[in-house]
Amino acid sequence: MADPQLRVRDPERVTALRATGVFDVPEPPGLRRLTRLASRLLRSPTALVSLVLDDRQVFVSQVGLPQPWADLGQTPLSHSFCQHVVDDDAPLVVSDARLNDRLKDNLAIPDIGVVAYAGMPIRVDGRTLGSFCAIDGEPRDWTPEDLAILEDLAAAVATEIELVRAARNAEETSAVVRRILEVSQDAYVSIDAAGTVLEWNPAAEKLFGRAREEAVGADLAPMIIPEIYRQAHYSGLARVRATGESKLAGQRIELPAMDRSGRRFPVEFTLQSTAHGGRTVFHAFLHDISARNESQRQLRRQAELIDAAPAAIIVRSPDGMIRFWNSGAEHMYGWPASAAVGRNIHRLLGTVFPGGSSAVEKALATDGRWEGEVTHRRVDGGSLVVLSRHVLRPDAGGEGDEVIETNTDITARRNAEERLAASERQFRVQFHQSTVGQAIVGLDGRILHVNEAYARMIGYRPEDLIGRRNEDFTHPEDRAEGVLLTARLFAGDLASYERTKRLVHAGGHTVDVHIGVRLVRDAEGAPVHLIGVIQDITERTRAERERDATQVVLAERNAQLELANGQLQRANLLKLDLMGMLSHDIGTPLTSILAYGEMLAESDLPGPLAMPTSKIMKAAHRIDELRLNVLSLCTVDETRLRTDRQRVALAGALRDALDAADQDVPVSCPPGAAVLVNPAHLRQIVVNFLTNARKYGGGATGIAVTVLGVTTRIAVRDAGPGVPEGLRDHLFERFTRAGGTGAAGHGLGLHIVASLAEANGGAVGYEPGEPAGSVFCLTLESG
């Protein structure tokens, strides 16, 4: 006896059993049909689908169980035979449990009346969850046919349980998606290809001012699309209905929208399309970007103000080499930044210090700053007296220093001081203290200035970034797009651009950002430098990816369900084809044959006619028997034919088939050759081969039986023209017929015999004859 600790009490098995969800639903109709079918086919008063937990067995479907167990729907393990099926992971078959040492003390015998028992394992995902069993209150010897039926039905029970589990998983996934949509901060809207709203989440209610009950089922366009854009919307939907394709699916789109009051505002969304039940459905998460757009406009205006400040802002090395030259310096001195940067400021401007340059150098070395009046020369040779402020600070490389000069024309001192103070305050607040990253990049791609927000975004200090190339912090895969867009800025195709890209953090991970870039030009239109505004959208991007992944999972679940439905429909077509042919095309002429045959048999016929009449009646009754047998198989509510196989001696069976086909053909059959098959099915397949040989090949020339060990091959040959090569791959498919022969038929015969062979564990095939003709083969398990 196996230790029940090994399987019955295995926590993983019990967990897997509970996870099927079959305990949480009413009795599935499929299981009810299978238990009733088992009771009827096996002539057993009781049939159970018993799922064995670690402390009891639960009957999720039952027929014939006595009270009170029928109402309880379960028993403790003290009353369980099925626990041994789980523990052994093998069938348990008992003719009289009272005589079985293992079972004779089980309380199911006196309390439930279990005497004869046959149970087959119910296996799901490699685990035995319980037993599909038949029970009799009297001693009984279970036949091999009984056990074969029970085993097949147990496999069907496992399939039904898997369907229940799949349905539960689908419901759980759908519930998760619904919860995501309910708590999403973005408005979620889905429509069909006609523009009708299918879903509308709470965020959409808030954004557009319309309740879900009002929106679902209504046309989307009049509710949220401004009138000027509606025709384009309808045209796009018409194109989708005509072609099945959407040009906008998968793109990030920014468009105007409107709410219930008619207020217009910009929204951003990514459109996704999926197919549900043969129709296209569009999904979009939308959010109002009015604040973001306004913020970006403000930042651009502020950056322009800083760049347009009347003060000359110059960054130079301690020995005077110019590194940065703003628009104020261009305006004040007349030299463009492209001409000034890289030149010695003192030689370019002819700087004259009141006390000499040594005093300035000493003040910078000791105090780090200097302020005073100096004289500079303009590009036209004119002189300027400016108030010059010098500040020494470490350069970006950390190995030296640089000097920031702010020079103001003091011809109109008061106005210049006020403008400088306002500019500096604005610069500090909007640039340094902004929570949005900002950077100024030179034409050579090197960072000239960054604020704290940008430096913190990628894990550096601001001073660590100055002088480094901007592309050093851009993900390699995103650099090419930046180069192309920058080229368009320089060419004048764009005044600015926005894009999303990935930055490389100092810690090695990536940061998703939305960046707006503008090329600053001088008064003559020459490029000066680039200004970038950078916003961290990592969390938003992650949420969008998770949302998109959820939509993909839903689409895959729907595709799996559609595939399963297609398989069920194809199985039903086979059943309907068989029933139609057997009921009408065979039943109608057969009824006439039987009727006239009975009239002849009852007449006083001469001796020479009595024997043929008897043979006619015998053959007609065989055909009618076969027709009714196949029809009964077709009425079983399953997706495949089922049959009871038995050992059939081939020599006699082939002679019987020749008589039924009214043909005399040489037969080559080894003595004692036998196969496992339903006799009626074997006769129908061979008669079909013989009939086809007579229709298309001039008649069969021989039948040869070859024993191949565990299988036996039956070949019917003819000397006809053979099957055209283009038809051979489809020969056994439904409605396949050879053209140009003039023979009547529906193209179902070979398809039906292929199904019968498969139901008997065998297969049919075709081979071209040598040197001509056809060979139709039937391969079955040897008996």
Side-chain angles (χ1 to χ4, degrees), residues 116-182:
Y117 173 91
M120 294 293 169
I122 300 173
R123 296 189 180 95
V124 176
D125 294 339
R127 290 188 172 90
T128 300
L129 304 184
S131 169
F132 185 54
C133 61
I135 297 172
D136 203 322
E138 299 294 334
R140 172 177 179 172
D141 290 328
W142 304 96
T143 68
E145 289 78 12
D146 293 338
L147 301 180
I149 291 172
L150 195 60
E151 183 178 12
D152 288 343
L153 294 180
V157 167
T159 300
E160 288 293 328
I161 292 174
E162 289 174 346
L163 289 174
V164 171
R165 181 179 63 181
R168 177 184 183 181
N169 291 341
E171 290 179 0
E172 291 176 350
T173 300
S174 178
V176 170
V177 172
R178 287 195 300 271
R179 180 55 181 159
I180 291 173
L181 295 180
E182 289 174 359

Side-chain angles (χ1 to χ4, degrees), residues 6 115 187 189 267 277 289 325 396 432 549 584 592 662 713-714 734:
L6 295 179
V115 176
V189 177
V267 295
I289 58 172
W325 185 269
H432 292 291
H584 183 268
S592 298
D662 194 21
R713 181 174 180 266
I714 304 167
R734 186 184 286 113

Side-chain angles (χ1 to χ4, degrees), residues 225-239 248:
I225 300 177
E227 185 173 1
I228 190 173
Y229 299 104
R230 291 176 192 169
Q231 186 55 48
H233 168 75
Y234 289 129
S235 298
L237 291 177
R239 184 170 57 253
L248 299 180

Side-chain angles (χ1 to χ4, degrees), residues 459-583:
Y460 293 91
R461 297 177 301 170
E463 55 269 25
D464 295 335
L465 301 178
I466 303 302
R468 297 185 64 176
R469 296 185 63 80
N470 185 50
E471 68 177 15
D472 294 344
F473 309 102
T474 301
H475 192 281
E477 295 177 2
D478 295 342
R479 293 173 183 170
E481 182 182 359
V483 172
L484 294 176
L485 290 171
T486 302
R488 296 185 66 188
L489 290 178
F490 276 78
D493 297 338
L494 298 173
S496 63
Y497 71 80
E498 295 183 22
R499 62 179 289 222
T500 58
K501 70 175 187 178
R502 292 166 291 177
L503 298 176
V504 180
H505 192 273
H509 62 273
T510 59
V511 179
D512 294 310
V513 298
H514 182 274
I515 181 171
V517 178
R518 178 181 181 274
L519 176 64
V520 178
R521 299 177 181 270
D522 61 19
E524 298 178 356
V528 178
H529 57 252
L530 299 162
I531 298 177
V533 178
I534 307 97
Q535 185 175 8
D536 187 345
I537 60 169
T538 302
E539 292 302 322
R540 188 185 77 187
T541 303
R542 180 182 295 114
E544 291 171 351
R545 289 170 182 162
E546 292 174 353
R547 178 199 65 208
D548 294 344
T550 300
Q551 292 177 348
V552 170
V553 170
L554 282 177
E556 290 176 351
R557 295 282 187 176
N558 288 336
Q560 291 171 358
L561 291 176
E562 291 175 1
L563 177 61
N565 288 337
Q567 293 172 341
L568 290 175
Q569 291 172 358
R570 288 192 294 274
N572 194 47
L573 282 176
L574 170 62
K575 181 168 67 177
L576 293 175
D577 291 342
L578 287 172
M579 293 179 70
M581 186 190 75
L582 293 173
S583 295

Side-chain angles (χ1 to χ4, degrees), residues 252-548:
R252 188 173 299 281
I253 304 167
E254 181 178 333
L255 287 173
M258 68 179 187
D259 61 15
R260 188 185 193 94
S261 67
R263 178 182 68 90
R264 292 180 58 170
F265 54 92
V267 295
E268 182 182 67
F269 61 94
T270 298
L271 189 67
Q272 298 290 342
S273 66
T274 57
H276 296 282
R279 64 174 181 168
T280 301
V281 177
F282 295 98
H283 313 268
F285 284 85
L286 308 94
H287 57 274
D288 186 350
I289 58 172
S290 302
R292 188 187 76 187
N293 288 354
E294 180 60 27
S295 175
Q296 291 173 350
R297 285 194 292 269
Q298 291 289 344
L299 290 172
R300 286 195 294 270
R301 286 197 294 269
Q302 292 162 3
E304 290 169 357
L305 287 172
I306 293 172
D307 188 58
I313 301 175
I314 303 163
V315 179
R316 64 175 177 84
S317 64
D319 60 3
M321 297 302 293
I322 299 172
R323 298 176 178 174
F324 172 74
W325 185 269
N326 79 333
S327 296
E330 291 181 340
H331 178 74
M332 183 179 295
Y333 300 112
W335 295 105
S338 57
V341 172
R343 305 290 185 270
N344 185 284
I345 188 172
H346 304 312
R347 288 197 291 270
L348 180 66
L349 301 181
T351 307
V352 177
F353 293 101
S357 61
S358 58
V360 177
E361 294 172 357
K362 181 179 180 180
L364 289 174
T366 56
D367 302 329
R369 64 179 57 247
W370 178 87
E371 181 177 338
E373 295 181 6
V374 298
T375 301
H376 282 157
R377 181 178 62 243
R378 286 177 48 85
V379 67
D380 58 5
S383 296
L384 291 176
V385 178
V386 300
L387 177 62
S388 185
R389 295 180 177 86
H390 297 191
V391 176
L392 184 70
R393 70 173 189 179
D395 62 17
E399 298 179 355
D401 297 320
E402 62 184 11
V403 178
I404 299 178
E405 288 192 19
T406 303
N407 299 331
T408 307
D409 183 353
I410 60 173
T411 304
R413 180 185 292 270
R414 185 176 298 277
N415 291 339
E417 289 176 350
E418 291 177 355
R419 288 195 297 271
L420 178 61
S423 176
E424 288 183 346
R425 285 195 303 271
Q426 201 168 43
F427 182 84
R428 287 194 299 271
V429 172
Q430 300 299 330
F431 193 90
H432 292 291
Q433 299 180 15
S434 174
T435 59
V436 176
Q438 300 181 43
I440 300 174
V441 180
L443 300 181
D444 60 356
R446 297 187 181 277
I447 297 174
L448 304 175
H449 205 68
V450 297
N451 67 352
E452 178 69 26
Y454 178 62
R456 184 171 57 251
M457 191 182 301
I458 57 176
Y460 293 91
R461 297 177 301 170
E463 55 269 25
D464 295 335
L465 301 178
I466 303 302
R468 297 185 64 176
R469 296 185 63 80
N470 185 50
E471 68 177 15
D472 294 344
F473 309 102
T474 301
H475 192 281
E477 295 177 2
D478 295 342
R479 293 173 183 170
E481 182 182 359
V483 172
L484 294 176
L485 290 171
T486 302
R488 296 185 66 188
L489 290 178
F490 276 78
D493 297 338
L494 298 173
S496 63
Y497 71 80
E498 295 183 22
R499 62 179 289 222
T500 58
K501 70 175 187 178
R502 292 166 291 177
L503 298 176
V504 180
H505 192 273
H509 62 273
T510 59
V511 179
D512 294 310
V513 298
H514 182 274
I515 181 171
V517 178
R518 178 181 181 274
L519 176 64
V520 178
R521 299 177 181 270
D522 61 19
E524 298 178 356
V528 178
H529 57 252
L530 299 162
I531 298 177
V533 178
I534 307 97
Q535 185 175 8
D536 187 345
I537 60 169
T538 302
E539 292 302 322
R540 188 185 77 187
T541 303
R542 180 182 295 114
E544 291 171 351
R545 289 170 182 162
E546 292 174 353
R547 178 199 65 208
D548 294 344

Side-chain angles (χ1 to χ4, degrees), residues 489-766:
L489 290 178
F490 276 78
D493 297 338
L494 298 173
S496 63
Y497 71 80
E498 295 183 22
R499 62 179 289 222
T500 58
K501 70 175 187 178
R502 292 166 291 177
L503 298 176
V504 180
H505 192 273
H509 62 273
T510 59
V511 179
D512 294 310
V513 298
H514 182 274
I515 181 171
V517 178
R518 178 181 181 274
L519 176 64
V520 178
R521 299 177 181 270
D522 61 19
E524 298 178 356
V528 178
H529 57 252
L530 299 162
I531 298 177
V533 178
I534 307 97
Q535 185 175 8
D536 187 345
I537 60 169
T538 302
E539 292 302 322
R540 188 185 77 187
T541 303
R542 180 182 295 114
E544 291 171 351
R545 289 170 182 162
E546 292 174 353
R547 178 199 65 208
D548 294 344
T550 300
Q551 292 177 348
V552 170
V553 170
L554 282 177
E556 290 176 351
R557 295 282 187 176
N558 288 336
Q560 291 171 358
L561 291 176
E562 291 175 1
L563 177 61
N565 288 337
Q567 293 172 341
L568 290 175
Q569 291 172 358
R570 288 192 294 274
N572 194 47
L573 282 176
L574 170 62
K575 181 168 67 177
L576 293 175
D577 291 342
L578 287 172
M579 293 179 70
M581 186 190 75
L582 293 173
S583 295
H584 183 268
D585 294 352
I586 294 177
T588 300
L590 186 58
T591 300
S592 298
I593 291 171
L594 288 171
Y596 284 112
E598 288 176 358
M599 291 174 60
L600 289 173
E602 292 174 357
S603 302
D604 188 12
L605 296 174
L609 296 179
M611 180 61 69
T613 301
S614 175
K615 293 185 68 175
I616 289 172
M617 290 301 293
K618 180 180 179 182
H621 281 295
R622 285 178 178 172
I623 294 172
D624 193 39
E625 174 190 355
L626 180 59
R627 180 178 69 90
L628 294 175
N629 189 14
V630 175
L631 274 174
S632 66
L633 288 172
C634 291
T635 59
V636 178
D637 187 14
E638 297 186 33
T639 59
R640 297 182 58 191
L641 292 172
R642 302 290 181 180
T643 186
D644 294 329
R645 298 189 298 165
Q646 56 184 290
R647 187 179 186 277
V648 176
L650 281 178
L654 294 177
R655 286 194 301 271
D656 185 37
L658 286 169
D659 290 342
D662 194 21
Q663 296 187 35
D664 186 11
V665 175
V667 177
S668 173
C669 179
V675 293
L676 294 177
V677 69
N678 182 304
H681 292 174
L682 174 62
R683 184 166 55 249
Q684 182 175 354
I685 294 171
V686 176
V687 168
N688 181 279
F689 285 170
L690 292 169
T691 303
N692 278 350
R694 182 162 55 195
K695 284 183 180 179
Y696 304 107
T701 59
I703 301 176
V705 176
T706 306
V707 179
L708 305 172
V710 297
T711 61
T712 297
R713 181 174 180 266
I714 304 167
V716 178
R717 299 178 178 272
D718 65 57
V723 177
E725 185 173 353
L727 190 64
R728 293 173 186 174
D729 291 341
H730 309 284
L731 194 57
F732 294 96
E733 296 177 2
R734 186 184 286 113
F735 303 123
T736 299
R737 295 184 62 244
T741 64
H746 295 80
L748 286 173
L750 289 178
H751 175 68
I752 292 174
V753 300
S755 300
L756 292 174
E758 181 183 356
N760 284 274
V764 293
Y766 167 81

